[in-house]
Amino acid sequence: MPDRPLPHWSLIGRDQAANDEGHPCAGLGHDQARWARLQSSLLGGGDHLAPDRALAEQLTALDPLSAAVARSTRAFAAASAADLARQGIDQYLVLGCGYPVPSSSPVHDVVLAHRPAARIVYADTDVSVMAHARALLTAPAPAAIGYLHQDLAAPAALASALVSLAVLDLDRPVALILADILLSLTDEQARRAVALLYDLVSAGSVLVVGHQALDRADTLTGRDLECIYRSAGIAYHPRTRASLASLLGDWQLQGNGITELDLLVPSGSAVVPAAPRGASLYGATARKGASVSSGRGAR
């Protein structure tokens, strides 16, 4: 994968600059791959370094649709946010937002097209990602956008920071966008985080989850992908449909439940679904109903 010129929206700097002493992102793991930078590489963004590109090459050699999975996850998150905005939801918490890339629309762009006074909070555990978010994911009034450098693996701290930030009104419905962040959590961590989010928000709130799958025709490839991520030091926990459902707790699945998503690949000037090959990516939308009385969400 050859080096590409950095686009104007890239803040990460060239490989050498990012390792220079005194650089604001120095010491943040530029000697090994990181999830957010890997996704930027797969998505055609500019915020990645040599270890990320090397890992992207490994992944695509094993699974040529790796980039399509990343692209489809972002597309599902954006499409879901737009649909919820059309339904009237005007508050969004995007967890594990990742780097902005030119190939996909950020959540606030698609939401503000329908709800110009929407309130959005972007959160990520990567300090470099959050620097990009503050600089690039902005919107004029009456919209309000907030930023949190927090980890979903520490949900109590995330909840406290969200309340202190005071961008979202947690007494009204919030859409929680988890595009691929549950992949980085163990089952115990994910279950605890999803349950705390349920208790934090009001009835009518919606959980949107994108998740890479193990239910696929070539299960061996899925296991090999796990080994590659593990060797690179990146937490990666793909799940079956049943194991993903088990994490959702009291959240009530909507529509067709957990569904297999089309994988989007470039074809000429268009982006089209890839040929079916067994489940590689799941999407789910779940709602907090008014009938369940639990924690803060009982209203």
Side-chain angles (χ1 to χ4, degrees), residues 108-134:
H108 75 276
D109 272 1
V110 298
V111 167
L112 295 180
H114 305 281
R115 302 287 159 187
R119 307 176 76 81
I120 299 102
V121 172
Y122 288 105
D124 203 286
T125 187
D126 189 315
V127 66
S128 175
V129 167
M130 294 318 299
H132 281 66
R134 289 186 177 92

Side-chain angles (χ1 to χ4, degrees), residues 6-131:
L6 293 171
H8 71 278
W9 39 260
S10 174
L11 304 181
I12 203 168
R14 298 189 180 278
D15 293 16
Q16 183 57 49
N19 283 295
D20 287 344
E21 185 177 353
H23 188 278
C25 291
L28 293 179
H30 289 89
D31 58 339
Q32 63 185 87
R34 288 288 185 267
W35 178 260
R37 295 198 310 258
L38 170 66
Q39 297 303 298
S40 179
S41 180
L42 290 170
L43 289 163
D47 296 297
H48 44 81
L49 301 172
D52 313 298
R53 295 189 287 274
L55 179 55
E57 288 179 350
Q58 277 189 280
L59 294 172
T60 53
L62 177 64
D63 184 357
L65 288 177
S66 291
V69 170
R71 184 181 302 111
S72 303
T73 302
R74 290 275 183 112
F76 172 68
S80 298
D83 186 51
L84 292 171
R86 285 190 290 267
Q87 293 178 34
I89 292 184
D90 62 357
Q91 299 193 107
Y92 295 78
L93 173 59
V94 186
L95 293 157
C97 59
Y99 289 106
V101 294
S103 60
S104 64
S105 299
V107 167
H108 75 276
D109 272 1
V110 298
V111 167
L112 295 180
H114 305 281
R115 302 287 159 187
R119 307 176 76 81
I120 299 102
V121 172
Y122 288 105
D124 203 286
T125 187
D126 189 315
V127 66
S128 175
V129 167
M130 294 318 299

Side-chain angles (χ1 to χ4, degrees), residues 22-244:
H23 188 278
C25 291
L28 293 179
H30 289 89
D31 58 339
Q32 63 185 87
R34 288 288 185 267
W35 178 260
R37 295 198 310 258
L38 170 66
Q39 297 303 298
S40 179
S41 180
L42 290 170
L43 289 163
D47 296 297
H48 44 81
L49 301 172
D52 313 298
R53 295 189 287 274
L55 179 55
E57 288 179 350
Q58 277 189 280
L59 294 172
T60 53
L62 177 64
D63 184 357
L65 288 177
S66 291
V69 170
R71 184 181 302 111
S72 303
T73 302
R74 290 275 183 112
F76 172 68
S80 298
D83 186 51
L84 292 171
R86 285 190 290 267
Q87 293 178 34
I89 292 184
D90 62 357
Q91 299 193 107
Y92 295 78
L93 173 59
V94 186
L95 293 157
C97 59
Y99 289 106
V101 294
S103 60
S104 64
S105 299
V107 167
H108 75 276
D109 272 1
V110 298
V111 167
L112 295 180
H114 305 281
R115 302 287 159 187
R119 307 176 76 81
I120 299 102
V121 172
Y122 288 105
D124 203 286
T125 187
D126 189 315
V127 66
S128 175
V129 167
M130 294 318 299
H132 281 66
R134 289 186 177 92
L136 302 172
L137 302 180
T138 61
I145 298 184
Y147 313 92
L148 286 177
H149 177 215
Q150 293 289 329
D151 190 347
L152 188 56
L158 169 65
S160 177
L162 187 63
V163 171
S164 298
L165 186 64
V167 170
L168 303 180
D169 178 0
L170 299 177
D171 290 321
R172 296 194 302 109
V174 177
L176 308 167
I177 310 295
L178 283 65
D180 54 23
I181 191 172
L182 292 183
L183 276 171
S184 67
L185 304 183
T186 66
D187 285 353
E188 180 181 355
Q189 290 173 324
R191 194 172 287 110
R192 185 172 65 245
V194 169
L196 187 143
L197 291 172
Y198 182 91
D199 287 339
L200 181 68
V201 297
S202 72
S205 293
V206 178
L207 180 73
V208 175
V209 177
H211 204 293
Q212 292 182 30
L214 275 179
D215 295 316
R216 50 186 297 168
D218 50 342
T219 302
L220 181 60
T221 299
R223 295 299 183 188
D224 287 344
L225 288 172
E226 287 187 87
C227 290
I228 290 176
Y229 279 107
R230 189 180 306 117
S231 297
I234 293 179
Y236 178 75
H237 303 282
R239 294 179 169 95
T240 64
R241 186 192 304 263
S243 60
L244 177 56

